[in-house]
Amino acid sequence: MNLLVFDVDGTLLPFGQELPSKETIKAVSERLAKGDVVAIASGRPFPAIKRFLELFGPGEKYVMAANGAAVYDIEGNVIEINGITLGDFHSFVKRHHDLIDRGAHVYCYMPSELGYYYFNESVEWEINCNHFPGKDLSKHPMSDDAPLLKMMVSASPSLIDTIVVDDVDKTFNVLRTDPHYLEFMNPKADKATATEIIRLRLGLDKEHVYTFGDQGNDLRMIKEYQGVAMGNAIDSVKQAAKYITKNDTDEGIAYALRNFIKD
Protein backbone atom coordinates (compact mmCIF):
# COMPACT_ATOMS: atom_id res chain seq x y z
CA MET A 1 0.00 0.00 0.00
CA ASN A 2 1.15 3.51 -0.84
CA LEU A 3 -0.03 6.94 0.26
CA LEU A 4 -0.41 9.32 -2.70
CA VAL A 5 -0.66 13.01 -1.82
CA PHE A 6 -1.64 15.49 -4.53
CA ASP A 7 -1.56 19.25 -4.71
CA VAL A 8 -4.46 20.70 -6.74
CA ASP A 9 -3.64 23.81 -8.78
CA GLY A 10 -0.84 23.21 -11.25
CA THR A 11 -0.81 19.51 -10.35
CA LEU A 12 -4.16 17.71 -10.47
CA LEU A 13 -5.73 20.75 -12.07
CA PRO A 14 -4.15 22.71 -14.94
CA PHE A 15 -4.64 26.46 -14.81
CA GLY A 16 -8.02 27.47 -16.15
CA GLN A 17 -9.63 24.06 -15.69
CA GLU A 18 -12.36 23.38 -13.14
CA LEU A 19 -11.91 19.60 -12.96
CA PRO A 20 -9.06 17.11 -13.43
CA SER A 21 -8.87 15.43 -16.82
CA LYS A 22 -10.61 12.11 -17.43
CA GLU A 23 -7.21 10.44 -17.74
CA THR A 24 -6.09 11.80 -14.37
CA ILE A 25 -9.30 10.61 -12.74
CA LYS A 26 -8.87 7.18 -14.31
CA ALA A 27 -5.23 6.85 -13.23
CA VAL A 28 -5.90 7.87 -9.62
CA SER A 29 -8.90 5.54 -9.49
CA GLU A 30 -6.69 2.68 -10.70
CA ARG A 31 -4.36 3.23 -7.76
CA LEU A 32 -7.26 3.29 -5.31
CA ALA A 33 -8.49 -0.01 -6.77
CA LYS A 34 -5.04 -1.49 -6.05
CA GLY A 35 -5.38 -0.52 -2.38
CA ASP A 36 -3.43 2.73 -2.31
CA VAL A 37 -4.63 5.63 -0.18
CA VAL A 38 -5.19 9.06 -1.73
CA ALA A 39 -5.01 12.47 -0.07
CA ILE A 40 -5.30 15.96 -1.51
CA ALA A 41 -3.18 18.67 0.11
CA SER A 42 -4.21 22.14 -0.98
CA GLY A 43 -4.64 25.70 0.18
CA ARG A 44 -8.34 25.23 -0.56
CA PRO A 45 -10.95 24.48 2.13
CA PHE A 46 -12.52 21.09 2.93
CA PRO A 47 -15.63 21.42 0.68
CA ALA A 48 -13.58 22.13 -2.44
CA ILE A 49 -11.10 19.32 -1.80
CA LYS A 50 -13.81 16.77 -1.00
CA ARG A 51 -15.46 17.61 -4.32
CA PHE A 52 -12.29 16.57 -6.18
CA LEU A 53 -11.82 13.39 -4.14
CA GLU A 54 -15.37 12.30 -4.92
CA LEU A 55 -14.48 12.20 -8.62
CA PHE A 56 -12.19 9.24 -8.01
CA GLY A 57 -13.23 5.63 -7.49
CA PRO A 58 -13.90 4.06 -4.08
CA GLY A 59 -11.13 3.74 -1.55
CA GLU A 60 -9.52 5.38 1.49
CA LYS A 61 -9.19 9.15 1.05
CA TYR A 62 -8.12 12.14 3.15
CA VAL A 63 -8.33 15.93 2.98
CA MET A 64 -5.41 18.20 3.93
CA ALA A 65 -7.01 21.65 3.81
CA ALA A 66 -5.55 25.15 4.13
CA ASN A 67 -2.06 23.94 3.17
CA GLY A 68 -2.10 21.26 5.85
CA ALA A 69 -3.52 23.31 8.73
CA ALA A 70 -6.49 20.94 8.96
CA VAL A 71 -6.57 17.20 8.28
CA TYR A 72 -9.86 15.35 7.80
CA ASP A 73 -11.14 12.02 6.61
CA ILE A 74 -13.40 12.08 3.57
CA GLU A 75 -16.48 12.30 5.80
CA GLY A 76 -15.26 15.53 7.35
CA ASN A 77 -14.18 14.11 10.70
CA VAL A 78 -11.28 16.15 12.08
CA ILE A 79 -8.03 14.23 12.53
CA GLU A 80 -5.89 17.21 13.53
CA ILE A 81 -5.97 21.02 13.29
CA ASN A 82 -3.02 23.37 13.74
CA GLY A 83 -4.64 26.77 13.49
CA ILE A 84 -4.40 30.38 14.62
CA THR A 85 -7.03 32.74 16.06
CA LEU A 86 -9.17 35.64 14.97
CA GLY A 87 -7.10 37.79 17.32
CA ASP A 88 -4.06 37.04 15.17
CA PHE A 89 -6.03 38.22 12.14
CA HIS A 90 -7.15 41.44 13.85
CA SER A 91 -3.57 42.25 14.88
CA PHE A 92 -2.30 41.54 11.38
CA VAL A 93 -4.89 43.83 9.75
CA LYS A 94 -4.00 46.67 12.16
CA ARG A 95 -0.28 46.31 11.47
CA HIS A 96 -0.70 46.07 7.70
CA HIS A 97 -3.69 48.29 6.99
CA ASP A 98 -1.57 50.10 4.40
CA LEU A 99 -1.79 46.97 2.22
CA ILE A 100 -5.56 47.38 1.98
CA ASP A 101 -5.10 51.05 1.08
CA ARG A 102 -2.73 49.94 -1.70
CA GLY A 103 -5.23 47.47 -3.15
CA ALA A 104 -4.50 44.19 -1.37
CA HIS A 105 -7.35 41.93 -0.28
CA VAL A 106 -6.98 40.51 3.23
CA TYR A 107 -9.23 37.75 4.57
CA CYS A 108 -9.13 34.56 6.61
CA TYR A 109 -10.16 30.90 6.54
CA MET A 110 -12.29 29.82 9.48
CA PRO A 111 -12.92 26.05 9.79
CA SER A 112 -16.19 26.25 7.82
CA GLU A 113 -16.42 29.83 6.51
CA LEU A 114 -14.40 32.57 4.83
CA GLY A 115 -14.06 35.59 7.11
CA TYR A 116 -13.69 39.14 5.79
CA TYR A 117 -14.26 42.81 6.60
CA TYR A 118 -14.18 44.09 3.01
CA PHE A 119 -16.05 42.21 0.29
CA ASN A 120 -14.03 42.22 -2.95
CA GLU A 121 -13.35 40.09 -6.02
CA SER A 122 -10.90 37.81 -4.18
CA VAL A 123 -13.45 37.05 -1.47
CA GLU A 124 -16.12 36.49 -4.11
CA TRP A 125 -13.82 34.12 -6.02
CA GLU A 126 -13.03 32.10 -2.90
CA ILE A 127 -16.71 31.76 -2.02
CA ASN A 128 -17.82 30.75 -5.51
CA CYS A 129 -14.87 28.62 -6.62
CA ASN A 130 -14.36 26.75 -3.36
CA HIS A 131 -18.02 26.34 -2.36
CA PHE A 132 -17.10 28.05 0.89
CA PRO A 133 -19.68 30.31 2.59
CA GLY A 134 -18.55 33.81 3.52
CA LYS A 135 -19.03 35.71 6.77
CA ASP A 136 -18.85 39.51 7.00
CA LEU A 137 -17.09 39.95 10.33
CA SER A 138 -18.15 43.58 10.60
CA LYS A 139 -21.79 42.43 10.70
CA HIS A 140 -21.15 39.23 12.65
CA PRO A 141 -18.37 39.99 15.17
CA MET A 142 -16.67 37.09 16.89
CA SER A 143 -14.33 36.79 19.86
CA ASP A 144 -10.57 37.02 19.40
CA ASP A 145 -10.14 33.40 20.45
CA ALA A 146 -12.30 32.12 17.57
CA PRO A 147 -10.28 29.52 15.62
CA LEU A 148 -8.85 30.18 12.16
CA LEU A 149 -6.96 27.94 9.75
CA LYS A 150 -5.03 30.72 8.02
CA MET A 151 -5.08 34.36 6.93
CA MET A 152 -4.39 35.50 3.39
CA VAL A 153 -3.20 38.47 1.39
CA SER A 154 -4.28 38.52 -2.25
CA ALA A 155 -2.76 41.18 -4.50
CA SER A 156 -0.89 41.81 -7.72
CA PRO A 157 2.52 40.08 -7.82
CA SER A 158 4.26 43.47 -7.84
CA LEU A 159 2.49 44.46 -4.59
CA ILE A 160 3.13 41.08 -2.98
CA ASP A 161 6.82 41.55 -3.81
CA THR A 162 6.92 44.74 -1.70
CA ILE A 163 5.49 43.17 1.48
CA VAL A 164 8.05 43.07 4.26
CA VAL A 165 7.31 40.36 6.81
CA ASP A 166 7.94 41.96 10.21
CA ASP A 167 9.25 40.23 13.33
CA VAL A 168 5.75 39.49 14.63
CA ASP A 169 4.74 37.95 11.32
CA LYS A 170 7.76 35.65 11.50
CA THR A 171 6.03 33.78 14.32
CA PHE A 172 3.78 32.33 11.57
CA ASN A 173 4.53 29.91 8.79
CA VAL A 174 4.51 32.43 5.92
CA LEU A 175 4.08 30.95 2.44
CA ARG A 176 4.11 32.51 -1.01
CA THR A 177 1.70 29.96 -2.47
CA ASP A 178 1.26 31.71 -5.82
CA PRO A 179 2.53 34.96 -7.37
CA HIS A 180 -0.73 36.56 -6.17
CA TYR A 181 -0.97 35.08 -2.65
CA LEU A 182 0.82 35.33 0.68
CA GLU A 183 -0.52 33.10 3.46
CA PHE A 184 0.07 33.16 7.23
CA MET A 185 -0.48 30.01 9.30
CA ASN A 186 0.43 28.23 12.50
CA PRO A 187 4.16 27.36 12.44
CA LYS A 188 3.22 23.66 12.65
CA ALA A 189 0.89 23.88 9.65
CA ASP A 190 2.41 22.57 6.44
CA LYS A 191 1.58 19.99 3.80
CA ALA A 192 4.52 17.88 5.00
CA THR A 193 3.19 17.93 8.59
CA ALA A 194 -0.24 16.85 7.37
CA THR A 195 1.31 14.08 5.25
CA GLU A 196 3.21 12.79 8.27
CA ILE A 197 -0.01 12.67 10.31
CA ILE A 198 -1.61 10.38 7.71
CA ARG A 199 1.56 8.34 7.18
CA LEU A 200 1.73 7.51 10.89
CA ARG A 201 -1.99 6.79 10.97
CA LEU A 202 -1.52 4.24 8.18
CA GLY A 203 1.74 2.83 9.58
CA LEU A 204 3.64 3.29 6.32
CA ASP A 205 7.35 3.72 5.71
CA LYS A 206 8.33 6.96 3.99
CA GLU A 207 9.37 5.06 0.89
CA HIS A 208 5.68 4.28 0.33
CA VAL A 209 4.60 7.93 0.43
CA TYR A 210 4.51 9.74 -2.92
CA THR A 211 3.88 13.49 -2.95
CA PHE A 212 3.01 15.50 -6.08
CA GLY A 213 3.34 19.28 -6.45
CA ASP A 214 4.60 22.31 -8.32
CA GLN A 215 4.94 25.34 -6.00
CA GLY A 216 6.75 26.55 -2.89
CA ASN A 217 4.04 25.37 -0.54
CA ASP A 218 4.69 21.83 -1.83
CA LEU A 219 8.44 21.97 -1.28
CA ARG A 220 8.72 20.33 2.16
CA MET A 221 6.49 17.39 1.28
CA ILE A 222 8.39 16.95 -1.99
CA LYS A 223 11.72 16.89 -0.10
CA GLU A 224 10.69 14.59 2.72
CA TYR A 225 8.98 11.79 0.79
CA GLN A 226 9.06 10.24 -2.68
CA GLY A 227 8.53 13.65 -4.25
CA VAL A 228 7.21 13.97 -7.79
CA ALA A 229 7.58 17.41 -9.36
CA MET A 230 5.32 18.39 -12.21
CA GLY A 231 7.02 19.38 -15.46
CA ASN A 232 5.61 22.87 -14.90
CA ALA A 233 6.97 23.07 -11.32
CA ILE A 234 9.24 25.85 -10.13
CA ASP A 235 12.96 25.06 -10.13
CA SER A 236 13.31 24.57 -6.35
CA VAL A 237 10.59 21.90 -6.38
CA LYS A 238 12.21 20.10 -9.31
CA GLN A 239 15.58 20.17 -7.56
CA ALA A 240 14.10 18.64 -4.41
CA ALA A 241 12.09 15.93 -6.20
CA LYS A 242 13.06 12.31 -6.71
CA TYR A 243 11.03 12.21 -9.93
CA ILE A 244 9.98 14.79 -12.51
CA THR A 245 6.89 14.02 -14.56
CA LYS A 246 5.23 15.72 -17.52
CA ASN A 247 3.37 19.03 -17.33
CA ASP A 248 -0.06 19.34 -15.75
CA THR A 249 -1.44 20.00 -19.24
CA ASP A 250 0.18 16.83 -20.62
CA GLU A 251 -1.27 14.20 -18.24
CA GLY A 252 1.67 14.44 -15.86
CA ILE A 253 -0.21 12.76 -13.01
CA ALA A 254 -1.29 9.78 -15.08
CA TYR A 255 2.25 9.38 -16.45
CA ALA A 256 3.78 9.43 -12.96
CA LEU A 257 1.27 7.00 -11.47
CA ARG A 258 1.87 4.49 -14.24
CA ASN A 259 5.67 4.81 -14.36
CA PHE A 260 7.07 5.85 -10.96
CA ILE A 261 4.95 4.08 -8.33
CA LYS A 262 6.23 0.80 -6.92
CA ASP A 263 3.50 -1.79 -6.36
Side-chain angles (χ1 to χ4, degrees), residues 27 244-246 250-260:
I244 299 176
T245 188
K246 297 180 180 181
D250 193 26
E251 303 297 354
I253 291 296
Y255 181 85
L257 292 178
R258 292 167 178 158
N259 290 277
F260 301 153

PDB file of all heavy atoms in Angstrom, residues 27 244-246 250-260:
ATOM      1  N   ALA A  27      -6.496   7.336 -13.786  1.00  0.00           N
ATOM      2  CA  ALA A  27      -5.225   6.846 -13.233  1.00  0.00           C
ATOM      3  C   ALA A  27      -5.249   6.827 -11.709  1.00  0.00           C
ATOM      4  O   ALA A  27      -4.753   5.872 -11.083  1.00  0.00           O
ATOM      5  CB  ALA A  27      -4.079   7.719 -13.737  1.00  0.00           C
ATOM      6  N   ILE A 244      10.599  13.659 -11.814  1.00  0.00           N
ATOM      7  CA  ILE A 244       9.977  14.786 -12.515  1.00  0.00           C
ATOM      8  C   ILE A 244       9.097  14.190 -13.611  1.00  0.00           C
ATOM      9  O   ILE A 244       9.563  13.411 -14.445  1.00  0.00           O
ATOM     10  CB  ILE A 244      11.008  15.743 -13.116  1.00  0.00           C
ATOM     11  CG1 ILE A 244      11.881  16.344 -12.012  1.00  0.00           C
ATOM     12  CG2 ILE A 244      10.302  16.867 -13.894  1.00  0.00           C
ATOM     13  CD1 ILE A 244      13.007  17.228 -12.522  1.00  0.00           C
ATOM     14  N   THR A 245       7.838  14.553 -13.586  1.00  0.00           N
ATOM     15  CA  THR A 245       6.891  14.020 -14.557  1.00  0.00           C
ATOM     16  C   THR A 245       6.594  15.058 -15.635  1.00  0.00           C
ATOM     17  O   THR A 245       7.247  16.102 -15.715  1.00  0.00           O
ATOM     18  CB  THR A 245       5.599  13.550 -13.853  1.00  0.00           C
ATOM     19  OG1 THR A 245       4.783  12.869 -14.803  1.00  0.00           O
ATOM     20  CG2 THR A 245       4.836  14.697 -13.231  1.00  0.00           C
ATOM     21  N   LYS A 246       5.617  14.792 -16.452  1.00  0.00           N
ATOM     22  CA  LYS A 246       5.228  15.722 -17.515  1.00  0.00           C
ATOM     23  C   LYS A 246       4.430  16.887 -16.932  1.00  0.00           C
ATOM     24  O   LYS A 246       4.058  16.888 -15.753  1.00  0.00           O
ATOM     25  CB  LYS A 246       4.397  14.983 -18.565  1.00  0.00           C
ATOM     26  CG  LYS A 246       5.152  13.863 -19.281  1.00  0.00           C
ATOM     27  CD  LYS A 246       4.264  13.171 -20.311  1.00  0.00           C
ATOM     28  CE  LYS A 246       5.001  12.069 -21.031  1.00  0.00           C
ATOM     29  NZ  LYS A 246       4.142  11.406 -22.057  1.00  0.00           N
ATOM     30  N   ASP A 250      -0.216  17.957 -19.781  1.00  0.00           N
ATOM     31  CA  ASP A 250       0.184  16.826 -20.617  1.00  0.00           C
ATOM     32  C   ASP A 250       0.054  15.504 -19.848  1.00  0.00           C
ATOM     33  O   ASP A 250       0.876  14.608 -20.009  1.00  0.00           O
ATOM     34  CB  ASP A 250       1.624  17.027 -21.104  1.00  0.00           C
ATOM     35  CG  ASP A 250       2.016  16.071 -22.218  1.00  0.00           C
ATOM     36  OD1 ASP A 250       1.111  15.601 -22.951  1.00  0.00           O
ATOM     37  OD2 ASP A 250       3.221  15.770 -22.348  1.00  0.00           O
ATOM     38  N   GLU A 251      -0.971  15.417 -19.013  1.00  0.00           N
ATOM     39  CA  GLU A 251      -1.273  14.201 -18.243  1.00  0.00           C
ATOM     40  C   GLU A 251      -0.095  13.767 -17.378  1.00  0.00           C
ATOM     41  O   GLU A 251       0.238  12.580 -17.263  1.00  0.00           O
ATOM     42  CB  GLU A 251      -1.694  13.049 -19.176  1.00  0.00           C
ATOM     43  CG  GLU A 251      -2.874  13.358 -20.067  1.00  0.00           C
ATOM     44  CD  GLU A 251      -4.177  13.646 -19.298  1.00  0.00           C
ATOM     45  OE1 GLU A 251      -4.202  13.499 -18.074  1.00  0.00           O
ATOM     46  OE2 GLU A 251      -5.166  14.027 -19.961  1.00  0.00           O
ATOM     47  N   GLY A 252       0.523  14.747 -16.710  1.00  0.00           N
ATOM     48  CA  GLY A 252       1.674  14.444 -15.857  1.00  0.00           C
ATOM     49  C   GLY A 252       1.351  13.525 -14.694  1.00  0.00           C
ATOM     50  O   GLY A 252       2.185  12.688 -14.314  1.00  0.00           O
ATOM     51  N   ILE A 253       0.162  13.640 -14.123  1.00  0.00           N
ATOM     52  CA  ILE A 253      -0.207  12.765 -13.013  1.00  0.00           C
ATOM     53  C   ILE A 253      -0.362  11.331 -13.491  1.00  0.00           C
ATOM     54  O   ILE A 253       0.186  10.391 -12.894  1.00  0.00           O
ATOM     55  CB  ILE A 253      -1.507  13.261 -12.341  1.00  0.00           C
ATOM     56  CG1 ILE A 253      -1.276  14.585 -11.609  1.00  0.00           C
ATOM     57  CG2 ILE A 253      -2.041  12.198 -11.369  1.00  0.00           C
ATOM     58  CD1 ILE A 253      -0.307  14.517 -10.465  1.00  0.00           C
ATOM     59  N   ALA A 254      -1.095  11.129 -14.560  1.00  0.00           N
ATOM     60  CA  ALA A 254      -1.292   9.776 -15.082  1.00  0.00           C
ATOM     61  C   ALA A 254       0.046   9.133 -15.442  1.00  0.00           C
ATOM     62  O   ALA A 254       0.280   7.949 -15.152  1.00  0.00           O
ATOM     63  CB  ALA A 254      -2.225   9.813 -16.292  1.00  0.00           C
ATOM     64  N   TYR A 255       0.934   9.919 -16.071  1.00  0.00           N
ATOM     65  CA  TYR A 255       2.250   9.383 -16.446  1.00  0.00           C
ATOM     66  C   TYR A 255       3.025   8.938 -15.211  1.00  0.00           C
ATOM     67  O   TYR A 255       3.608   7.837 -15.181  1.00  0.00           O
ATOM     68  CB  TYR A 255       3.038  10.442 -17.213  1.00  0.00           C
ATOM     69  CG  TYR A 255       4.400   9.962 -17.646  1.00  0.00           C
ATOM     70  CD1 TYR A 255       4.564   9.253 -18.829  1.00  0.00           C
ATOM     71  CD2 TYR A 255       5.530  10.195 -16.857  1.00  0.00           C
ATOM     72  CE1 TYR A 255       5.816   8.784 -19.226  1.00  0.00           C
ATOM     73  CE2 TYR A 255       6.778   9.742 -17.232  1.00  0.00           C
ATOM     74  CZ  TYR A 255       6.920   9.028 -18.427  1.00  0.00           C
ATOM     75  OH  TYR A 255       8.149   8.562 -18.798  1.00  0.00           O
ATOM     76  N   ALA A 256       3.030   9.760 -14.176  1.00  0.00           N
ATOM     77  CA  ALA A 256       3.777   9.430 -12.959  1.00  0.00           C
ATOM     78  C   ALA A 256       3.204   8.197 -12.269  1.00  0.00           C
ATOM     79  O   ALA A 256       3.955   7.310 -11.830  1.00  0.00           O
ATOM     80  CB  ALA A 256       3.767  10.630 -12.007  1.00  0.00           C
ATOM     81  N   LEU A 257       1.890   8.129 -12.165  1.00  0.00           N
ATOM     82  CA  LEU A 257       1.266   7.003 -11.469  1.00  0.00           C
ATOM     83  C   LEU A 257       1.529   5.681 -12.180  1.00  0.00           C
ATOM     84  O   LEU A 257       1.610   4.628 -11.540  1.00  0.00           O
ATOM     85  CB  LEU A 257      -0.238   7.235 -11.343  1.00  0.00           C
ATOM     86  CG  LEU A 257      -0.661   8.386 -10.412  1.00  0.00           C
ATOM     87  CD1 LEU A 257      -2.173   8.539 -10.409  1.00  0.00           C
ATOM     88  CD2 LEU A 257      -0.147   8.174  -8.997  1.00  0.00           C
ATOM     89  N   ARG A 258       1.672   5.731 -13.471  1.00  0.00           N
ATOM     90  CA  ARG A 258       1.871   4.492 -14.237  1.00  0.00           C
ATOM     91  C   ARG A 258       3.345   4.145 -14.462  1.00  0.00           C
ATOM     92  O   ARG A 258       3.649   3.039 -14.928  1.00  0.00           O
ATOM     93  CB  ARG A 258       1.141   4.594 -15.565  1.00  0.00           C
ATOM     94  CG  ARG A 258      -0.373   4.602 -15.381  1.00  0.00           C
ATOM     95  CD  ARG A 258      -1.142   5.017 -16.607  1.00  0.00           C
ATOM     96  NE  ARG A 258      -2.586   4.959 -16.351  1.00  0.00           N
ATOM     97  CZ  ARG A 258      -3.483   5.645 -17.061  1.00  0.00           C
ATOM     98  NH1 ARG A 258      -3.096   6.410 -18.077  1.00  0.00           N
ATOM     99  NH2 ARG A 258      -4.763   5.557 -16.766  1.00  0.00           N
ATOM    100  N   ASN A 259       4.252   5.057 -14.098  1.00  0.00           N
ATOM    101  CA  ASN A 259       5.668   4.809 -14.364  1.00  0.00           C
ATOM    102  C   ASN A 259       6.575   4.897 -13.145  1.00  0.00           C
ATOM    103  O   ASN A 259       7.661   4.295 -13.149  1.00  0.00           O
ATOM    104  CB  ASN A 259       6.181   5.805 -15.416  1.00  0.00           C
ATOM    105  CG  ASN A 259       5.621   5.548 -16.793  1.00  0.00           C
ATOM    106  OD1 ASN A 259       6.146   4.699 -17.530  1.00  0.00           O
ATOM    107  ND2 ASN A 259       4.558   6.254 -17.161  1.00  0.00           N
ATOM    108  N   PHE A 260       6.164   5.632 -12.097  1.00  0.00           N
ATOM    109  CA  PHE A 260       7.066   5.853 -10.959  1.00  0.00           C
ATOM    110  C   PHE A 260       6.667   5.088  -9.688  1.00  0.00           C
ATOM    111  O   PHE A 260       7.511   4.895  -8.818  1.00  0.00           O
ATOM    112  CB  PHE A 260       7.111   7.350 -10.599  1.00  0.00           C
ATOM    113  CG  PHE A 260       7.576   8.246 -11.714  1.00  0.00           C
ATOM    114  CD1 PHE A 260       7.165   9.567 -11.757  1.00  0.00           C
ATOM    115  CD2 PHE A 260       8.417   7.788 -12.715  1.00  0.00           C
ATOM    116  CE1 PHE A 260       7.590  10.418 -12.771  1.00  0.00           C
ATOM    117  CE2 PHE A 260       8.846   8.619 -13.742  1.00  0.00           C
ATOM    118  CZ  PHE A 260       8.424   9.940 -13.773  1.00  0.00           C
TER     119      PHE A 260
END
